[in-house]
Amino acid sequence: MEDSGVEALRVEISLAEAAGPELCLVVRRTLSRAAQEVQAGTFDCVVLDLGLPDASGLEALRQMQEADSKLPVVVLSAEESETLAMQAVQEGAQDFVLKSHASGPVLLRSIRYARERKQRELELRRQAFSDHLTGLPNREVFIDRLARGLAREERTGNLIGVMFVDMDRFKQVNDTLGHDAGDILLVEVAHRLSDAVRPSDAVARCGGDEFLVLCDGLEHEHQGLDIAERMGHALAEPVWIDGHEVFPHASIGIAFGRNRATPPELLIRLADEAMYRAKRAQRHYATADGRYASAGLGSET
């Protein structure tokens, strides 16, 4: 994406000569057109001029980041400024190239470097915000989403449901079949919980054999209880591990909220306490206020 037809043609020709069939270059002279195509298509990298007619400077970079934050960006600039280069990288660009130095080989190397660096960044971000075993979001990501959900539901009047899921007799699996078997069971439980909830819901692992489930946009509490029932049915089927039949039953505590003034950690704690009540009473699930509890799958007392 360049700010003039002459510059665009020069970049296209020089890159084509340097890369040959390795590169398919699409040139767009406005940021709005480029952003639309980035959102709709599949691209490997963006070479972005900071002097486009409809967006200049770092604002162009910000808009491109909004279009696709996972796409590597190489910034082109006529301004030889170390400060600008540092700001561009801090705001998400993977590399900064002066137009006066933008030969085909230089740009090709920069594109390759940008793609490699972006892949490393995404992997580090994934590791920081997800559980390494199951691939689910971790507790920190869950809390952030819960806080945003509470703010949204305060406006809509709908409910947020937080469920604390703890595996029953998980230690026994580790002790009798080994930790590898325990890991296999946790991965299977993560899959089953994710399949049991709605597409708009979120499942996270918060450590050990404990999971968190966020259900937002609930019109009433019984919608949340229905989801808890589905999770119970999903966990009722056995898992075969090295010839052993393992039943991944779990106890579930549920807390409801709709107010952004409610600290996310409080809802999690209330759901945790309800889970322990369900476990002690040998119930499938229990709610924080004690109004609902399930004695077994498909039944309610």
Side-chain angles (χ1 to χ4, degrees):
M1 283 148 266
E2 282 281 350
D3 63 346
S4 75
V6 174
E7 283 294 307
L9 183 60
R10 183 182 69 80
V11 169
E12 185 175 7
I13 292 173
S14 60
L15 268 176
E17 290 176 346
E22 176 186 346
L23 188 70
C24 177
L25 186 64
V26 177
V27 179
R28 295 293 178 261
R29 297 191 178 97
T30 64
L31 184 66
S32 57
R33 175 76 182 277
Q36 289 176 355
E37 296 195 16
V38 160
Q39 289 176 324
T42 301
F43 294 90
D44 296 316
C45 187
V46 170
V47 179
L48 177 66
D49 195 297
L50 295 187
L52 292 168
D54 59 340
S56 61
L58 294 179
E59 179 58 29
L61 176 60
R62 296 185 190 106
Q63 291 187 31
M64 184 54 64
Q65 291 283 92
E66 290 177 2
D68 189 344
S69 62
K70 295 182 179 180
L71 195 61
V73 178
V74 175
V75 163
L76 279 177
S77 177
E79 182 180 349
E80 188 170 356
S81 167
E82 185 174 336
T83 300
L84 179 61
M86 291 179 60
Q87 289 177 334
V89 172
Q90 288 171 353
E91 295 212 16
Q94 278 62 57
D95 205 1
F96 183 95
V97 179
L98 288 173
K99 288 185 182 180
S100 57
H101 299 163
S103 65
V106 167
L107 284 174
L108 185 59
R109 284 196 301 271
S110 185
I111 290 171
R112 289 170 177 163
Y113 167 76
R115 293 178 63 189
E116 292 173 359
R117 180 176 178 183
K118 190 65 176 182
Q119 288 175 354
R120 290 196 299 270
E121 290 176 0
L122 292 175
E123 178 60 22
L124 289 173
R125 187 181 305 170
R126 186 192 68 78
Q127 293 176 3
F129 296 113
S130 65
D131 171 57
H132 73 281
L133 177 64
T134 63
L136 293 175
N138 60 21
R139 186 185 182 98
E140 288 71 22
V141 174
F142 184 90
I143 290 173
D144 178 70
R145 180 165 176 177
L146 174 56
R148 289 186 282 114
L150 286 168
R152 182 174 57 253
E153 303 307 5
E154 185 178 47
R155 296 191 299 270
T156 65
N158 288 332
L159 282 170
I160 285 275
V162 173
M163 303 186 189
F164 201 107
V165 183
D166 183 83
M167 305 303 301
D168 297 329
R169 300 183 297 277
F170 179 74
K171 185 177 183 299
Q172 182 179 345
V173 175
N174 273 339
D175 291 343
T176 58
L177 301 180
H179 288 280
D180 288 344
D183 287 348
I184 293 172
L185 181 60
L186 288 173
V187 171
E188 178 61 23
V189 167
H191 287 318
R192 293 189 184 188
L193 291 177
S194 298
D195 290 341
V197 301
R198 303 169 304 171
S200 59
D201 298 332
V203 180
R205 184 184 176 209
C206 56
D209 60 344
E210 297 173 339
F211 297 84
L212 287 165
V213 179
L214 173 63
C215 304
D216 57 6
L218 299 174
E219 295 181 4
H220 48 74
E221 293 177 351
H222 279 280
Q223 282 185 311
L225 305 185
D226 289 342
I227 294 170
E229 290 283 355
R230 290 205 303 270
M231 291 193 300
H233 283 288
L235 297 179
E237 295 298 320
V239 180
W240 287 91
I241 304 175
D242 294 332
H244 297 275
E245 190 179 39
V246 178
F247 288 88
H249 292 303
S251 300
I252 303 174
I254 311 170
F256 296 103
R258 59 160 54 93
N259 192 329
R260 79 174 76 194
T262 303
E265 289 283 9
L266 175 60
L267 271 185
I268 294 173
R269 180 171 62 80
L270 292 173
D272 187 13
E273 293 172 355
M275 179 275 296
Y276 276 108
R277 286 199 298 274
K279 190 180 290 286
R280 287 193 298 268
Q282 296 185 337
R283 306 249 179 161
H284 168 48
Y285 67 76
T287 57
D289 58 14
R291 287 191 296 145
Y292 300 101
S294 174
L297 294 180
S299 65
E300 184 176 290
T301 60

